[in-house]
Amino acid sequence: MRSLSIWLALSLSAIVCAVPAKDCAHKLKETVPPPRGWTKLRPAPADHTIELRIALPQPNFSVLEKHLYEVSDPFHERYGEHLSKEEVEALVAPHDESIHLVNEWLASHGIYEDDLSRSPAKDWVMVKVPVSLAEEMLKTEYHIWSHDASGNAIVRTTSYSIPEHLDEHIELVQPTTMFSRMKSLKSTVRFSDVEISSLAVNADQPPISVPSASGGKVDASCNETITITCIQQLYNAVGFTPSAKNGNQIGITGYLEQFANIADLQEFYADQRPDALNSTFKTILINGGLNNQTLSEAGAEADLDTQFAFGLTFPTPGTFFSTGGSPPFKPDVLTPDNSNEPYTEWLNFILKQENPPQTISTSYADDEQTVPVSFAKRVCEGFAQLGARGVSLMFSSGDGGVGDGDPDPATQECFTNDGRNVTRFVPLFPLPAHCEYGPKANQYIDLKLLHSVTGVGGTIHVPETAVFFSGGGFSDVVIPSSPYQNSAVSTFLDQLPAGTYEGLFNPNGRAIPDVSAQADLFKIFLSGEAILIGGTSAAAPTFSGIVSLLNSARLSQGLPPLGFLNPLIYAIHAATPSAFNDITVGNNPGCGTPGFNATKGWDPVTGVGTPNFGKLKDILTAL
């Protein structure tokens, strides 16, 4: 029967297009308005190389969604029964006829099997071609576009077409219409204005009483400087030692030539984690990524992430993934580097791994509205594959409050990018706002109601309050919100005075963040010097460190890792609210507004709150 269906498909394609595939009638696949904040400079050089990524449909993805929902639902009998790499790949594999018809189209342009690469499931085809050939294949014109604010430039088009008979066999082709400038959440790493040498803490100052903390107390110094000890005390994790031999791992992603310096790590360990001295992490280089160890090249983002994530979880094996790609395109260079989106390079790599880390933290993103919905959908389907395999993914929620990620209200651009230039709060991507899966269809972008990444907002000081830059709000792309967060989010919205920010946000959209953690005044070592630094880039690896400790506790008892967290988070919050420290003070201003307020229960500044490791461990090792 399968061979018959392929024969029928090929026969129909011959009827539809009885000429070489490259000469078939084309159909417009995607178009976007001229992107706000970008200027078209001139046609792209004909010999500029682009790696086209062609996404083939995943006809059985709904089955994968069902598995993801069941293994992630703590009330389901299959909770924790994660799928293998091979099982996941079988569920996302395209039909044979899609593979054949796309091969036929590529061959008509002189591109054969030896010229391309495929994802393990064959749902992505990657081929490097010059702009001139890409324009012929997609019936489009590429131009050099310059970003007005930064001066960065990329090669993109605002529309493209594919042969009509391939419309059901190709979901998208990129890079085409995506004008994202993936970066370290614009300014998510925030250097403190306080000189660390000027800090003077009275050694006799009594500890701060925090009932939920380890021993009910937190060192007074933690109001001026956050260290590993502060996190352990505040989140009730003092005394727990993870295993180095139970298979648990934690990973940190790095992009844009952010290098994690090992000498800085040793300085950090000497200062805050002496038992970890002379230990290090594994570095994996992806797509030409580097991790140069010259002190002057140490990256603030990379050092922050690795020092706190690996410091919190020592001796758990840690991995730093350094992914190359998407350097600023130089319009005056005749042979520029490839300008692809680097996040997909990492995602494709990690999906190929047999045993990826069970916990992975990321602190990079861009405005939601710069990312085509088709691309967001496919990235989220990649996240879903990892979630089904038992991987927990954390993303920092951004540092612009309800704004576009820019922590400076004077330079925030809080307008839609659809040609209307309407004032709007601006969520970020990639974040859980995009990645929705589950049993009910979301008609707006045909995603589902269960998402597979966790957004982490920020707090500050002891007792904790919301930090002003904590990104949060509601997606304009994913509607409606997730079923497991509906009750928590509805409670917040019901308490919001009628008309508040009407028209500035979508109250029916997926709400972020899910959780939060400390996000400012972190003491790290950068280029050999001690500095204070902050941002939700600090919150994400901190919360990830707590998740990794929980995974270690479970694995040591023969239990599976936590995997996709959000159904579990909201279920625990509903049943045992004290497992999270509720943050009720603070707000996240942006776009010329005070933003949202932190309130009792979930809020779009701090989510359900910060973790109480001790209580969570007791709950999760009994589950």
Side-chain angles (χ1 to χ4, degrees):
M1 287 298 293
R2 190 67 176 157
S3 60
L4 176 61
S5 67
I6 296 173
W7 179 85
L8 287 172
L10 298 179
S11 299
L12 287 172
S13 72
I15 294 172
V16 171
C17 184
V19 296
K22 69 178 182 178
D23 298 321
C24 291
H26 276 56
K27 177 181 179 180
L28 181 66
K29 189 65 175 178
E30 191 165 33
T31 184
V32 298
R36 189 176 184 280
W38 292 85
T39 298
K40 187 189 330 185
L41 298 181
R42 58 180 176 272
D47 60 351
H48 171 61
T49 298
I50 292 179
E51 184 176 47
L52 292 180
R53 294 179 172 274
I54 304 165
L56 279 57
Q58 303 167 329
N60 294 318
F61 188 79
S62 60
V63 181
L64 176 66
E65 290 178 316
K66 182 175 183 293
H67 284 291
L68 174 61
Y69 185 84
E70 292 176 354
V71 303
S72 304
D73 179 359
F75 301 112
H76 198 281
E77 62 183 3
R78 290 189 60 214
Y79 177 71
E81 295 180 7
H82 302 117
L83 304 185
S84 69
K85 174 178 179 288
E86 292 72 24
E87 289 171 329
V88 167
E89 289 170 359
L91 290 172
V92 299
H95 285 320
D96 290 343
E97 53 262 45
S98 295
I99 297 173
H100 181 92
L101 290 173
V102 170
N103 284 352
E104 183 181 61
W105 172 56
L106 293 173
S108 72
H109 290 280
I111 302 169
Y112 300 97
E113 193 67 27
D114 290 344
D115 304 314
L116 52 84
S117 60
R118 301 182 189 274
S119 61
K122 299 184 178 181
D123 55 332
W124 283 95
V125 180
M126 288 74 73
V127 57
K128 292 182 179 180
V129 298
V131 160
S132 57
L133 181 53
E135 291 179 332
E136 178 185 336
M137 295 170 66
L138 303 174
K139 296 295 185 281
T140 189
E141 293 181 356
Y142 279 89
H143 285 79
I144 298 172
W145 293 78
S146 175
H147 187 252
D148 299 341
S150 67
N152 291 346
I154 57 176
V155 173
R156 293 293 186 268
T157 182
T158 55
S159 66
Y160 68 95
S161 302
I162 60 173
E164 284 185 349
H165 72 287
L166 295 181
D167 189 45
E168 295 182 358
H169 300 282
I170 293 177
E171 283 194 354
L172 68 113
V173 181
Q174 288 292 347
T176 49
T177 58
M178 184 171 175
F179 285 81
S180 172
R181 296 186 309 112
M182 184 180 174
K183 51 203 155 297
S184 174
L185 283 180
K186 294 198 172 77
S187 296
T188 194
V189 172
R190 303 173 54 85
F191 290 84
S192 172
D193 292 332
V194 179
E195 289 290 336
I196 197 164
S197 59
S198 70
L199 293 175
V201 178
N202 187 342
D204 298 326
Q205 191 172 356
I208 304 167
S209 176
V210 180
S212 60
S214 294
K217 298 177 181 179
V218 175
D219 291 348
S221 63
C222 298
N223 256 327
E224 296 178 316
T225 307
I226 292 294
T227 63
I228 293 292
T229 298
C230 293
I231 297 299
Q232 291 171 329
Q233 292 177 352
L234 185 59
Y235 297 148
N236 193 18
V238 171
F240 178 79
T241 301
S243 170
K245 300 179 180 180
N246 61 6
N248 192 38
Q249 304 176 62
I250 183 170
I252 294 293
T253 63
Y255 303 93
L256 310 179
E257 299 184 346
Q258 277 280 327
F259 305 142
N261 190 273
I262 295 172
D264 282 341
L265 180 70
Q266 298 307 317
E267 292 270 11
F268 177 83
Y269 281 165
D271 182 64
Q272 298 187 32
R273 193 77 206 239
D275 59 327
L277 264 173
N278 299 319
S279 70
T280 188
F281 51 85
K282 178 170 66 175
T283 298
I284 294 180
L285 307 179
I286 303 167
N287 190 43
L290 302 170
N291 195 34
N292 295 341
Q293 290 302 298
T294 304
L295 273 178
S296 62
E297 294 187 81
E301 177 75 74
D303 274 7
L304 166 63
D305 291 352
T306 53
Q307 288 172 26
F308 267 84
F310 301 153
L312 278 169
T313 59
F314 177 79
T316 302
T319 299
F320 176 65
F321 299 96
S322 180
T323 303
S326 199
F329 176 80
K330 304 298 184 184
D332 297 324
V333 178
L334 294 180
T335 56
D337 290 326
N338 188 286
S339 57
N340 275 358
E341 164 59 60
Y343 194 78
T344 54
E345 299 284 357
W346 176 83
L347 185 55
N348 289 340
F349 173 86
I350 203 71
L351 286 171
K352 294 178 183 178
Q353 306 311 301
E354 289 288 345
N355 297 296
Q358 297 91 340
T359 307
I360 300 176
S361 179
T362 296
S363 298
Y364 299 77
D366 202 359
D367 297 349
E368 175 181 79
Q369 60 186 4
T370 67
V371 181
V373 168
S374 60
F375 180 81
K377 178 177 181 291
R378 283 303 290 243
V379 170
C380 294
E381 288 169 352
F383 293 155
Q385 294 177 52
L386 289 171
R389 291 172 57 185
V391 176
S392 301
L393 300 171
M394 265 62 65
F395 284 78
S396 49
S397 68
D399 291 352
V402 294
D404 66 354
D406 190 334
D408 183 356
T411 55
Q412 283 184 347
E413 295 186 3
C414 303
F415 302 96
T416 61
N417 199 33
D418 55 8
R420 298 180 300 147
N421 287 340
V422 175
T423 302
R424 194 79 167 172
F425 294 162
V426 183
L428 296 180
F429 176 89
L431 269 179
H434 291 79
C435 302
E436 301 281 330
Y437 307 97
K440 297 181 181 179
N442 173 346
Q443 297 301 320
Y444 187 63
I445 57 174
D446 196 28
L447 294 184
K448 308 294 181 174
L449 287 183
L450 206 156
H451 55 89
S452 49
V453 301
T454 299
V456 186
T459 64
I460 191 170
H461 296 149
V462 183
E464 292 182 276
T465 64
V467 69
F468 73 93
F469 52 76
S470 182
F474 300 81
S475 174
D476 277 330
V477 172
V478 179
I479 308 169
S481 60
S482 305
Y484 47 79
Q485 73 167 190
N486 278 348
S487 176
V489 175
S490 294
T491 299
F492 172 82
L493 291 172
D494 289 345
Q495 296 173 352
L496 198 65
T500 301
Y501 303 142
E502 186 172 356
L504 295 182
F505 75 100
N506 168 33
N508 298 312
R510 175 10 185 157
I512 52 177
D514 300 295
V515 293
S516 52
Q518 283 281 315
D520 211 355
L521 303 177
F522 277 53
K523 183 183 180 184
I524 69 166
F525 284 78
L526 177 65
S527 299
E529 298 292 333
I531 67 166
L532 295 186
I533 195 169
T536 53
S537 282
T542 297
F543 188 84
S544 297
I546 297 297
V547 171
S548 183
L549 296 179
L550 293 170
N551 271 332
S552 185
R554 283 176 59 84
L555 289 168
S556 291
Q557 294 194 15
L559 298 170
L562 295 171
F564 166 45
L565 292 172
N566 294 4
L568 180 68
I569 286 171
Y570 288 95
I572 292 176
H573 180 254
T576 313
S578 60
F580 295 92
N581 308 312
D582 195 11
I583 312 302
T584 60
V585 177
N587 59 300
N588 59 348
C591 300
T593 76
F596 295 107
N597 290 326
T599 62
K600 182 178 180 180
W602 180 90
D603 57 69
V605 190
T606 61
V608 301
T610 61
N612 183 319
F613 170 78
K615 288 197 173 184
L616 288 169
K617 180 174 70 70
D618 290 344
I619 293 169
L620 294 175
T621 52
L623 191 61

